[in-house]
Amino acid sequence: SEPEDEIEHLNFKVVLLGDGAVGKTSIVSRFTEDDFAKNYKQTIGVDFFIKRLQLTPTTECALSIWDIGGQTIGSKMITKYIYGANAVLFCYDITSYQTFQNLEDWLMLVRRTFQGEPMPFMVLVGNKTDLSHLRTVKLDKHNKFAADNGIHPFFMSAKTGDNVHATMFRIAAHLSGVT
Ligand code: GDP
């Protein structure tokens, strides 16, 4: 048979949640284009990107990445975007305690959306580690929130690119059952 027949193609939906300006759009563009947009543009509606990753010589994974853009937690459409997600990234800005605190509400929304169904793989993203001198969320708070809620804790900087690809790769590997 053709070698192509032996390659496993997997598809997963990944949704980024969190307050405005925590860096969701920047994370997505860093990961999908390796390009950091320096201008802040409030995205209207939802942007959707597909990123293909070769995880092993025989496993290829396509992540469809949904950026909620400028939508807030109260927006009526939001549960439609969350629905069917295989992974959810709870994103906050390490220099803004409020964006961390508000993740409780984002988590409640996800729990409500998935009630009675298996929860998605959940990831905590503390973004803007390049600004760690301005950090207002202590590491133990980050870790405790993750541990208390079954969330996998990560840090990254969309600006420098630090840990963006590594985190997304870990998520893809987990979803694909590749260890
Ligand atoms: P979103 O509303 O969550 O999608 O956030 P954006 O991606 O639009 O980013 C909001 C602002 O934070 C913009 O001015 C970005 O340039 C900036 N930003 C995003 N990620 C980082 C980061 O890792 N470090 C720093 N210093 N700024 C960032």
Side-chain angles (χ1 to χ4, degrees):
S1 64
E2 299 287 315
E4 176 68 15
D5 295 342
E6 291 149 26
I7 297 178
E8 186 177 24
H9 297 276
L10 301 167
N11 292 282
F12 299 106
K13 176 177 176 178
V14 176
V15 179
L16 283 83
L17 299 177
D19 287 358
V22 299
K24 300 179 298 297
T25 302
S26 302
I27 292 166
V28 174
S29 55
R30 168 64 76 180
F31 179 57
T32 55
E33 304 154 36
D34 208 14
D35 169 38
F36 182 75
K38 291 191 181 67
N39 297 317
Y40 174 42
K41 286 197 193 107
Q42 184 91 356
T43 322
I44 306 298
V46 160
D47 292 326
F48 174 116
F49 297 89
I50 294 192
K51 176 81 173 179
R52 290 192 167 75
L53 296 175
Q54 187 83 41
L55 295 175
T56 74
T58 56
T59 313
E60 196 190 86
C61 161
L63 298 180
S64 59
I65 302 176
W66 296 51
D67 178 9
I68 59 163
Q71 294 196 83
T72 58
I73 196 161
S75 119
K76 288 212 167 66
M77 291 295 285
I78 212 108
T79 55
K80 291 187 168 52
Y81 296 117
I82 298 172
Y83 190 78
N86 300 103
V88 171
L89 279 64
F90 294 96
C91 305
Y92 74 95
D93 171 351
I94 66 162
T95 73
S96 164
Y97 196 80
Q98 190 66 55
T99 67
F100 175 71
Q101 252 182 343
N102 288 343
L103 290 183
E104 294 279 2
D105 296 330
W106 287 103
L107 179 60
M108 262 201 298
L109 181 65
V110 170
R111 289 215 174 102
R112 232 185 296 133
T113 306
F114 281 87
Q115 68 188 191
E117 288 169 52
M119 288 291 280
F121 183 62
M122 299 192 289
V123 171
L124 177 62
V125 173
N127 187 41
K128 310 197 185 182
T129 54
D130 58 289
L131 301 178
S132 60
H133 55 292
L134 301 173
R135 179 194 299 272
T136 56
V137 181
K138 293 204 174 101
L139 295 182
D140 60 325
K141 292 265 187 187
H142 173 96
N143 289 327
K144 186 176 189 309
F145 177 72
D148 287 350
N149 295 294
I151 306 178
H152 298 74
F154 289 91
F155 286 105
M156 64 177 63
S157 167
K159 182 172 183 175
T160 65
D162 187 42
N163 218 29
V164 174
H165 287 261
T167 301
M168 299 305 285
F169 218 87
R170 290 274 295 278
I171 294 167
H174 174 88
L175 295 175
S176 304
V178 172
T179 48

mmCIF file of all heavy atoms in Angstrom, residues 17-29 36-43 67-70 91 93 95 127-131 156-161 164, ligand 1:
data_model
loop_
_atom_site.group_PDB
_atom_site.id
_atom_site.type_symbol
_atom_site.label_atom_id
_atom_site.label_comp_id
_atom_site.label_asym_id
_atom_site.label_seq_id
_atom_site.Cartn_x
_atom_site.Cartn_y
_atom_site.Cartn_z
ATOM 1 N N LEU A 17 -10.187 31.120 25.758
ATOM 2 C CA LEU A 17 -11.120 31.957 26.507
ATOM 3 C C LEU A 17 -10.340 32.879 27.433
ATOM 4 O O LEU A 17 -9.176 32.637 27.734
ATOM 5 C CB LEU A 17 -12.060 31.075 27.342
ATOM 6 C CG LEU A 17 -12.948 30.096 26.577
ATOM 7 C CD1 LEU A 17 -13.748 29.246 27.558
ATOM 8 C CD2 LEU A 17 -13.864 30.816 25.606
ATOM 9 N N GLY A 18 -11.027 33.896 27.899
ATOM 10 C CA GLY A 18 -10.397 34.838 28.822
ATOM 11 C C GLY A 18 -10.790 36.254 28.451
ATOM 12 O O GLY A 18 -11.326 36.501 27.367
ATOM 13 N N ASP A 19 -10.501 37.175 29.366
ATOM 14 C CA ASP A 19 -10.897 38.571 29.182
ATOM 15 C C ASP A 19 -10.219 39.200 27.965
ATOM 16 O O ASP A 19 -9.193 38.707 27.487
ATOM 17 C CB ASP A 19 -10.519 39.380 30.425
ATOM 18 C CG ASP A 19 -11.437 39.065 31.603
ATOM 19 O OD1 ASP A 19 -12.363 38.257 31.440
ATOM 20 O OD2 ASP A 19 -11.198 39.642 32.679
ATOM 21 N N GLY A 20 -10.769 40.324 27.541
ATOM 22 C CA GLY A 20 -10.165 41.101 26.464
ATOM 23 C C GLY A 20 -8.773 41.558 26.872
ATOM 24 O O GLY A 20 -8.512 41.831 28.043
ATOM 25 N N ALA A 21 -7.875 41.586 25.900
ATOM 26 C CA ALA A 21 -6.518 42.121 26.036
ATOM 27 C C ALA A 21 -5.552 41.250 26.835
ATOM 28 O O ALA A 21 -4.435 41.675 27.124
ATOM 29 C CB ALA A 21 -6.531 43.552 26.606
ATOM 30 N N VAL A 22 -5.949 40.014 27.160
ATOM 31 C CA VAL A 22 -4.985 39.129 27.838
ATOM 32 C C VAL A 22 -3.967 38.561 26.854
ATOM 33 O O VAL A 22 -2.915 38.054 27.264
ATOM 34 C CB VAL A 22 -5.663 37.977 28.619
ATOM 35 C CG1 VAL A 22 -6.583 38.524 29.705
ATOM 36 C CG2 VAL A 22 -6.388 37.002 27.719
ATOM 37 N N GLY A 23 -4.294 38.636 25.560
ATOM 38 C CA GLY A 23 -3.332 38.197 24.533
ATOM 39 C C GLY A 23 -3.759 36.991 23.714
ATOM 40 O O GLY A 23 -2.933 36.371 23.039
ATOM 41 N N LYS A 24 -5.056 36.676 23.715
ATOM 42 C CA LYS A 24 -5.530 35.489 22.990
ATOM 43 C C LYS A 24 -5.207 35.557 21.500
ATOM 44 O O LYS A 24 -4.666 34.611 20.922
ATOM 45 C CB LYS A 24 -7.055 35.320 23.193
ATOM 46 C CG LYS A 24 -7.457 35.141 24.658
ATOM 47 C CD LYS A 24 -8.956 34.996 24.828
ATOM 48 C CE LYS A 24 -9.776 36.185 24.378
ATOM 49 N NZ LYS A 24 -9.515 37.433 25.146
ATOM 50 N N THR A 25 -5.535 36.679 20.890
ATOM 51 C CA THR A 25 -5.285 36.827 19.450
ATOM 52 C C THR A 25 -3.790 36.760 19.158
ATOM 53 O O THR A 25 -3.366 36.162 18.163
ATOM 54 C CB THR A 25 -5.881 38.165 18.957
ATOM 55 O OG1 THR A 25 -7.270 38.168 19.259
ATOM 56 C CG2 THR A 25 -5.702 38.330 17.457
ATOM 57 N N SER A 26 -3.001 37.339 20.040
ATOM 58 C CA SER A 26 -1.545 37.317 19.854
ATOM 59 C C SER A 26 -0.989 35.897 19.976
ATOM 60 O O SER A 26 -0.071 35.521 19.236
ATOM 61 C CB SER A 26 -0.869 38.214 20.890
ATOM 62 O OG SER A 26 -1.354 39.531 20.803
ATOM 63 N N ILE A 27 -1.542 35.113 20.894
ATOM 64 C CA ILE A 27 -1.106 33.718 21.052
ATOM 65 C C ILE A 27 -1.425 32.940 19.777
ATOM 66 O O ILE A 27 -0.580 32.219 19.241
ATOM 67 C CB ILE A 27 -1.795 33.064 22.274
ATOM 68 C CG1 ILE A 27 -1.290 33.690 23.573
ATOM 69 C CG2 ILE A 27 -1.581 31.551 22.272
ATOM 70 C CD1 ILE A 27 -2.141 33.362 24.806
ATOM 71 N N VAL A 28 -2.644 33.134 19.281
ATOM 72 C CA VAL A 28 -3.056 32.408 18.073
ATOM 73 C C VAL A 28 -2.183 32.808 16.887
ATOM 74 O O VAL A 28 -1.713 31.953 16.139
ATOM 75 C CB VAL A 28 -4.557 32.641 17.759
ATOM 76 C CG1 VAL A 28 -4.927 32.006 16.432
ATOM 77 C CG2 VAL A 28 -5.421 32.062 18.866
ATOM 78 N N SER A 29 -1.924 34.100 16.736
ATOM 79 C CA SER A 29 -1.135 34.484 15.560
ATOM 80 C C SER A 29 0.324 34.070 15.728
ATOM 81 O O SER A 29 0.968 33.670 14.755
ATOM 82 C CB SER A 29 -1.283 35.958 15.203
ATOM 83 O OG SER A 29 -0.970 36.761 16.280
ATOM 84 N N PHE A 36 4.121 38.276 15.596
ATOM 85 C CA PHE A 36 3.514 39.017 16.701
ATOM 86 C C PHE A 36 2.983 40.349 16.187
ATOM 87 O O PHE A 36 3.732 41.197 15.730
ATOM 88 C CB PHE A 36 4.543 39.240 17.809
ATOM 89 C CG PHE A 36 3.979 39.954 18.996
ATOM 90 C CD1 PHE A 36 3.147 39.299 19.880
ATOM 91 C CD2 PHE A 36 4.289 41.288 19.244
ATOM 92 C CE1 PHE A 36 2.625 39.948 20.983
ATOM 93 C CE2 PHE A 36 3.768 41.938 20.346
ATOM 94 C CZ PHE A 36 2.933 41.266 21.212
ATOM 95 N N ALA A 37 1.662 40.525 16.224
ATOM 96 C CA ALA A 37 1.052 41.777 15.777
ATOM 97 C C ALA A 37 1.199 42.810 16.885
ATOM 98 O O ALA A 37 0.707 42.619 17.981
ATOM 99 C CB ALA A 37 -0.417 41.547 15.448
ATOM 100 N N LYS A 38 1.874 43.883 16.593
ATOM 101 C CA LYS A 38 2.150 44.864 17.642
ATOM 102 C C LYS A 38 0.974 45.802 17.882
ATOM 103 O O LYS A 38 0.887 46.441 18.902
ATOM 104 C CB LYS A 38 3.408 45.657 17.302
ATOM 105 C CG LYS A 38 4.654 44.798 17.393
ATOM 106 C CD LYS A 38 5.920 45.634 17.327
ATOM 107 C CE LYS A 38 7.162 44.765 17.386
ATOM 108 N NZ LYS A 38 7.311 43.912 16.190
ATOM 109 N N ASN A 39 0.088 45.887 16.913
ATOM 110 C CA ASN A 39 -1.063 46.763 17.078
ATOM 111 C C ASN A 39 -2.247 46.002 17.651
ATOM 112 O O ASN A 39 -2.582 44.937 17.193
ATOM 113 C CB ASN A 39 -1.461 47.391 15.750
ATOM 114 C CG ASN A 39 -0.352 48.275 15.225
ATOM 115 O OD1 ASN A 39 0.256 49.035 15.982
ATOM 116 N ND2 ASN A 39 -0.062 48.144 13.949
ATOM 117 N N TYR A 40 -2.842 46.615 18.649
ATOM 118 C CA TYR A 40 -4.001 45.977 19.269
ATOM 119 C C TYR A 40 -5.237 46.286 18.445
ATOM 120 O O TYR A 40 -5.618 47.428 18.277
ATOM 121 C CB TYR A 40 -4.153 46.492 20.700
ATOM 122 C CG TYR A 40 -5.396 46.006 21.398
ATOM 123 C CD1 TYR A 40 -5.806 44.700 21.287
ATOM 124 C CD2 TYR A 40 -6.148 46.877 22.178
ATOM 125 C CE1 TYR A 40 -6.939 44.251 21.930
ATOM 126 C CE2 TYR A 40 -7.281 46.438 22.835
ATOM 127 C CZ TYR A 40 -7.676 45.123 22.705
ATOM 128 O OH TYR A 40 -8.804 44.680 23.351
ATOM 129 N N LYS A 41 -5.842 45.260 17.912
ATOM 130 C CA LYS A 41 -7.093 45.438 17.173
ATOM 131 C C LYS A 41 -8.144 44.578 17.839
ATOM 132 O O LYS A 41 -7.988 43.377 17.976
ATOM 133 C CB LYS A 41 -6.935 44.970 15.719
ATOM 134 C CG LYS A 41 -6.118 45.916 14.877
ATOM 135 C CD LYS A 41 -6.330 45.635 13.391
ATOM 136 C CE LYS A 41 -5.310 46.346 12.543
ATOM 137 N NZ LYS A 41 -4.303 45.450 11.987
ATOM 138 N N GLN A 42 -9.222 45.189 18.250
ATOM 139 C CA GLN A 42 -10.322 44.431 18.847
ATOM 140 C C GLN A 42 -10.970 43.614 17.743
ATOM 141 O O GLN A 42 -11.546 44.161 16.816
ATOM 142 C CB GLN A 42 -11.322 45.389 19.502
ATOM 143 C CG GLN A 42 -12.443 44.692 20.220
ATOM 144 C CD GLN A 42 -12.104 44.450 21.699
ATOM 145 O OE1 GLN A 42 -11.001 44.735 22.149
ATOM 146 N NE2 GLN A 42 -13.048 43.903 22.425
ATOM 147 N N THR A 43 -10.827 42.311 17.853
ATOM 148 C CA THR A 43 -11.378 41.450 16.805
ATOM 149 C C THR A 43 -12.894 41.440 16.895
ATOM 150 O O THR A 43 -13.455 41.437 17.977
ATOM 151 C CB THR A 43 -10.867 40.017 16.978
ATOM 152 O OG1 THR A 43 -9.515 40.088 17.406
ATOM 153 C CG2 THR A 43 -10.972 39.232 15.702
ATOM 154 N N ASP A 67 -10.668 31.664 18.218
ATOM 155 C CA ASP A 67 -10.381 32.856 19.016
ATOM 156 C C ASP A 67 -11.690 33.618 19.155
ATOM 157 O O ASP A 67 -12.292 34.008 18.162
ATOM 158 C CB ASP A 67 -9.321 33.694 18.287
ATOM 159 C CG ASP A 67 -8.986 34.978 19.010
ATOM 160 O OD1 ASP A 67 -9.425 35.160 20.162
ATOM 161 O OD2 ASP A 67 -8.271 35.801 18.409
ATOM 162 N N ILE A 68 -12.132 33.813 20.392
ATOM 163 C CA ILE A 68 -13.425 34.482 20.597
ATOM 164 C C ILE A 68 -13.349 35.977 20.327
ATOM 165 O O ILE A 68 -14.369 36.662 20.346
ATOM 166 C CB ILE A 68 -13.978 34.259 22.026
ATOM 167 C CG1 ILE A 68 -12.996 34.788 23.075
ATOM 168 C CG2 ILE A 68 -14.299 32.802 22.238
ATOM 169 C CD1 ILE A 68 -13.631 34.987 24.429
ATOM 170 N N GLY A 69 -12.148 36.470 20.075
ATOM 171 C CA GLY A 69 -11.994 37.877 19.708
ATOM 172 C C GLY A 69 -12.532 38.805 20.772
ATOM 173 O O GLY A 69 -12.289 38.619 21.950
ATOM 174 N N GLY A 70 -13.302 39.788 20.355
ATOM 175 C CA GLY A 70 -13.780 40.805 21.286
ATOM 176 C C GLY A 70 -15.003 40.398 22.089
ATOM 177 O O GLY A 70 -15.532 41.204 22.839
ATOM 178 N N CYS A 91 -7.131 31.791 29.501
ATOM 179 C CA CYS A 91 -5.990 32.709 29.362
ATOM 180 C C CYS A 91 -6.149 33.926 30.264
ATOM 181 O O CYS A 91 -7.231 34.509 30.347
ATOM 182 C CB CYS A 91 -5.881 33.192 27.916
ATOM 183 S SG CYS A 91 -5.766 31.848 26.715
ATOM 184 N N ASP A 93 -3.672 37.500 31.919
ATOM 185 C CA ASP A 93 -2.474 38.330 31.805
ATOM 186 C C ASP A 93 -1.825 38.361 33.196
ATOM 187 O O ASP A 93 -2.483 38.785 34.161
ATOM 188 C CB ASP A 93 -2.948 39.726 31.352
ATOM 189 C CG ASP A 93 -1.872 40.798 31.388
ATOM 190 O OD1 ASP A 93 -0.781 40.562 31.918
ATOM 191 O OD2 ASP A 93 -2.182 41.893 30.878
ATOM 192 N N THR A 95 0.036 40.252 34.586
ATOM 193 C CA THR A 95 0.157 41.582 35.206
ATOM 194 C C THR A 95 -1.216 42.138 35.611
ATOM 195 O O THR A 95 -1.292 43.250 36.116
ATOM 196 C CB THR A 95 0.839 42.590 34.253
ATOM 197 O OG1 THR A 95 -0.074 42.943 33.202
ATOM 198 C CG2 THR A 95 2.107 42.022 33.652
ATOM 199 N N ASN A 127 -0.261 34.455 30.477
ATOM 200 C CA ASN A 127 0.451 35.073 29.343
ATOM 201 C C ASN A 127 1.183 36.351 29.774
ATOM 202 O O ASN A 127 0.907 36.908 30.823
ATOM 203 C CB ASN A 127 -0.559 35.377 28.222
ATOM 204 C CG ASN A 127 0.131 35.862 26.949
ATOM 205 O OD1 ASN A 127 1.186 35.334 26.552
ATOM 206 N ND2 ASN A 127 -0.459 36.858 26.285
ATOM 207 N N LYS A 128 2.105 36.766 28.937
ATOM 208 C CA LYS A 128 2.912 37.997 29.102
ATOM 209 C C LYS A 128 4.047 37.801 30.100
ATOM 210 O O LYS A 128 4.369 38.702 30.886
ATOM 211 C CB LYS A 128 2.055 39.225 29.454
ATOM 212 C CG LYS A 128 0.839 39.417 28.514
ATOM 213 C CD LYS A 128 0.229 40.807 28.589
ATOM 214 C CE LYS A 128 -1.041 40.903 27.738
ATOM 215 N NZ LYS A 128 -1.650 42.241 27.736
ATOM 216 N N THR A 129 4.675 36.635 30.072
ATOM 217 C CA THR A 129 5.799 36.382 30.992
ATOM 218 C C THR A 129 6.991 37.301 30.721
ATOM 219 O O THR A 129 7.861 37.426 31.582
ATOM 220 C CB THR A 129 6.274 34.919 30.912
ATOM 221 O OG1 THR A 129 6.562 34.602 29.551
ATOM 222 C CG2 THR A 129 5.230 33.961 31.455
ATOM 223 N N ASP A 130 7.012 37.954 29.571
ATOM 224 C CA ASP A 130 8.060 38.964 29.330
ATOM 225 C C ASP A 130 7.903 40.147 30.274
ATOM 226 O O ASP A 130 8.841 40.936 30.447
ATOM 227 C CB ASP A 130 8.024 39.421 27.857
ATOM 228 C CG ASP A 130 6.669 40.004 27.476
ATOM 229 O OD1 ASP A 130 5.688 39.236 27.379
ATOM 230 O OD2 ASP A 130 6.570 41.225 27.313
ATOM 231 N N LEU A 131 6.729 40.282 30.890
ATOM 232 C CA LEU A 131 6.473 41.370 31.849
ATOM 233 C C LEU A 131 6.480 40.851 33.291
ATOM 234 O O LEU A 131 5.751 41.363 34.140
ATOM 235 C CB LEU A 131 5.111 42.027 31.546
ATOM 236 C CG LEU A 131 4.928 42.639 30.155
ATOM 237 C CD1 LEU A 131 3.512 43.194 29.993
ATOM 238 C CD2 LEU A 131 5.958 43.754 29.924
ATOM 239 N N MET A 156 3.358 31.502 29.209
ATOM 240 C CA MET A 156 3.933 31.802 27.898
ATOM 241 C C MET A 156 4.015 33.300 27.682
ATOM 242 O O MET A 156 3.468 34.093 28.461
ATOM 243 C CB MET A 156 3.100 31.165 26.772
ATOM 244 C CG MET A 156 1.698 31.689 26.643
ATOM 245 S SD MET A 156 0.765 30.974 25.247
ATOM 246 C CE MET A 156 0.661 29.252 25.656
ATOM 247 N N SER A 157 4.707 33.675 26.617
ATOM 248 C CA SER A 157 4.687 35.055 26.157
ATOM 249 C C SER A 157 4.438 35.056 24.663
ATOM 250 O O SER A 157 5.255 34.563 23.889
ATOM 251 C CB SER A 157 6.025 35.757 26.438
ATOM 252 O OG SER A 157 6.075 36.980 25.720
ATOM 253 N N ALA A 158 3.287 35.612 24.280
ATOM 254 C CA ALA A 158 3.000 35.720 22.842
ATOM 255 C C ALA A 158 3.952 36.719 22.203
ATOM 256 O O ALA A 158 4.253 36.631 21.017
ATOM 257 C CB ALA A 158 1.554 36.158 22.629
ATOM 258 N N LYS A 159 4.467 37.657 23.003
ATOM 259 C CA LYS A 159 5.361 38.674 22.453
ATOM 260 C C LYS A 159 6.713 38.084 22.059
ATOM 261 O O LYS A 159 7.188 38.305 20.957
ATOM 262 C CB LYS A 159 5.549 39.805 23.459
ATOM 263 C CG LYS A 159 6.431 40.913 22.925
ATOM 264 C CD LYS A 159 6.456 42.106 23.841
ATOM 265 C CE LYS A 159 7.286 43.218 23.220
ATOM 266 N NZ LYS A 159 7.231 44.432 24.042
ATOM 267 N N THR A 160 7.321 37.341 22.977
ATOM 268 C CA THR A 160 8.625 36.750 22.659
ATOM 269 C C THR A 160 8.473 35.384 21.989
ATOM 270 O O THR A 160 9.420 34.886 21.390
ATOM 271 C CB THR A 160 9.461 36.550 23.933
ATOM 272 O OG1 THR A 160 8.799 35.580 24.760
ATOM 273 C CG2 THR A 160 9.649 37.849 24.698
ATOM 274 N N GLY A 161 7.306 34.796 22.128
ATOM 275 C CA GLY A 161 7.077 33.445 21.592
ATOM 276 C C GLY A 161 7.447 32.364 22.587
ATOM 277 O O GLY A 161 7.241 31.181 22.320
ATOM 278 N N VAL A 164 5.078 29.183 23.608
ATOM 279 C CA VAL A 164 3.814 29.113 22.860
ATOM 280 C C VAL A 164 3.717 27.785 22.104
ATOM 281 O O VAL A 164 2.768 27.019 22.289
ATOM 282 C CB VAL A 164 3.652 30.309 21.895
ATOM 283 C CG1 VAL A 164 2.408 30.136 21.027
ATOM 284 C CG2 VAL A 164 3.575 31.621 22.674
HETATM 285 P P1 GDP B 1 -7.027 39.546 23.225
HETATM 286 O O1 GDP B 1 -8.037 40.643 23.344
HETATM 287 O O2 GDP B 1 -7.056 38.620 24.412
HETATM 288 O O3 GDP B 1 -7.110 38.793 21.926
HETATM 289 O O4 GDP B 1 -5.570 40.232 23.312
HETATM 290 P P2 GDP B 1 -4.580 40.709 22.126
HETATM 291 O O5 GDP B 1 -3.885 39.538 21.524
HETATM 292 O O6 GDP B 1 -5.312 41.620 21.209
HETATM 293 O O7 GDP B 1 -3.497 41.510 22.982
HETATM 294 C C1 GDP B 1 -3.856 42.629 23.787
HETATM 295 C C2 GDP B 1 -2.637 43.516 23.988
HETATM 296 O O8 GDP B 1 -1.633 42.812 24.731
HETATM 297 C C3 GDP B 1 -1.959 43.930 22.673
HETATM 298 O O9 GDP B 1 -1.464 45.255 22.840
HETATM 299 C C4 GDP B 1 -0.819 42.948 22.533
HETATM 300 O O10 GDP B 1 0.229 43.496 21.777
HETATM 301 C C5 GDP B 1 -0.413 42.741 23.982
HETATM 302 N N1 GDP B 1 0.180 41.420 24.225
HETATM 303 C C6 GDP B 1 -0.312 40.211 23.878
HETATM 304 N N2 GDP B 1 0.492 39.224 24.297
HETATM 305 C C7 GDP B 1 1.533 39.824 24.935
HETATM 306 C C8 GDP B 1 2.705 39.340 25.611
HETATM 307 O O11 GDP B 1 2.983 38.124 25.713
HETATM 308 N N3 GDP B 1 3.519 40.268 26.175
HETATM 309 C C9 GDP B 1 3.260 41.610 26.095
HETATM 310 N N4 GDP B 1 4.131 42.437 26.668
HETATM 311 N N5 GDP B 1 2.174 42.103 25.461
HETATM 312 C C10 GDP B 1 1.320 41.226 24.895
#
